[in-house]
Amino acid sequence: MTTRTESVDTPPGEARITWHTAPGARLVLAVGHGAGGGIEARDLQALAAALPARGITVALVEQPWRVAGKKVAAAPGVLDEGWRGLWPALTRPGLPVVAGGRSAGARVACRTAGELDAAGVLALAFPLHPPGRPEKSRAEELTGAGRPALVVQGGRDPFGRPEEFPAPGGRHPYELVEVVHGDHGFAVPKRAAVTQEEALRTITEAVGEWLARLPG
């Protein structure tokens, strides 16, 4: 695996891609961060460390607001604009690109997957609703992605527990994998029956196996 960082000019400003390149890669997994943090998130770093050995190049994407050092995320439309602006750089290796993200980044991936012709959508900690507000559902963003999709969700995520998600359906029914005891950041309590390392392995194994089933 080789690692390099690339700056990309987009309409909302300079964005950044950190490439974790697999030799002989068959596809690219592009993953954006959430509204409360960056690419240092434990799940994103675990994927970048584990997947290149499976022939998957992982591109960790930093939105312009984050690169500029701002503390508050941009509006959804601006996030989508930044992701669109990055897409040509993500497709430059000439491989299929799976659009992914955690939390707000997952929403961006879902909203833009069809127009960008993504090979699939990876939604990590999809924020199905604001905490304590299940009536404010964002399920249509997920079900409307129009691409094969995998949701990886913590069992105690206040933004939507696995059992709260609607039944998969349509031409591209999504798959859902639960990270037992995981919160919105996939942290597990020290008293849990699974360790933090095991929780992260659940994520990397599920994502790796799902990506292996996608058409190349």
Side-chain angles (χ1 to χ4, degrees), residues 20-208:
H20 299 262
T21 304
R26 59 179 291 269
L27 59 80
V28 172
L29 172 63
V31 197
H33 54 77
I39 62 171
E40 73 279 359
R42 59 172 59 85
D43 50 338
L44 304 190
Q45 289 297 314
L47 291 170
L51 294 185
R54 293 174 175 254
I56 308 297
T57 288
V58 178
L60 300 182
V61 174
E62 294 174 85
Q63 284 270 2
W65 71 269
R66 184 77 181 180
V67 174
K70 297 179 181 178
K71 302 298 184 183
V72 179
V78 178
L79 296 178
D80 291 355
E81 189 177 20
W83 189 255
R84 293 187 191 99
L86 281 156
W87 198 255
L90 295 169
T91 61
R92 195 173 300 128
L95 299 171
V97 181
V98 172
R102 67 163 288 102
S103 195
R107 296 182 64 193
V108 173
C110 288
R111 290 193 298 258
T112 59
E115 66 181 278
L116 296 176
D117 198 24
V121 174
L122 173 62
L124 302 161
F126 185 83
L128 185 64
H129 58 70
R133 301 294 301 276
E135 74 280 3
K136 300 287 187 180
S137 177
R138 300 164 179 145
E140 288 187 0
E141 291 183 354
L142 174 62
T143 58
R147 292 292 184 273
L150 175 67
V151 179
V152 182
Q153 203 74 6
R156 59 187 184 95
D157 191 334
F159 288 83
R161 297 183 306 278
E163 63 268 22
E164 296 182 81
F165 280 71
R171 181 181 175 190
H172 295 292
Y174 66 87
E175 300 178 37
L176 191 148
V177 171
E178 178 177 353
V179 179
V180 179
H181 301 299
D183 65 8
H184 194 58
F186 297 117
V188 298
K190 291 183 179 179
R191 66 182 182 278
V194 297
T195 66
Q196 188 65 66
E197 182 180 347
E198 289 170 336
L200 292 174
R201 192 178 304 120
T202 295
I203 297 170
T204 58
E205 289 294 320
V207 174

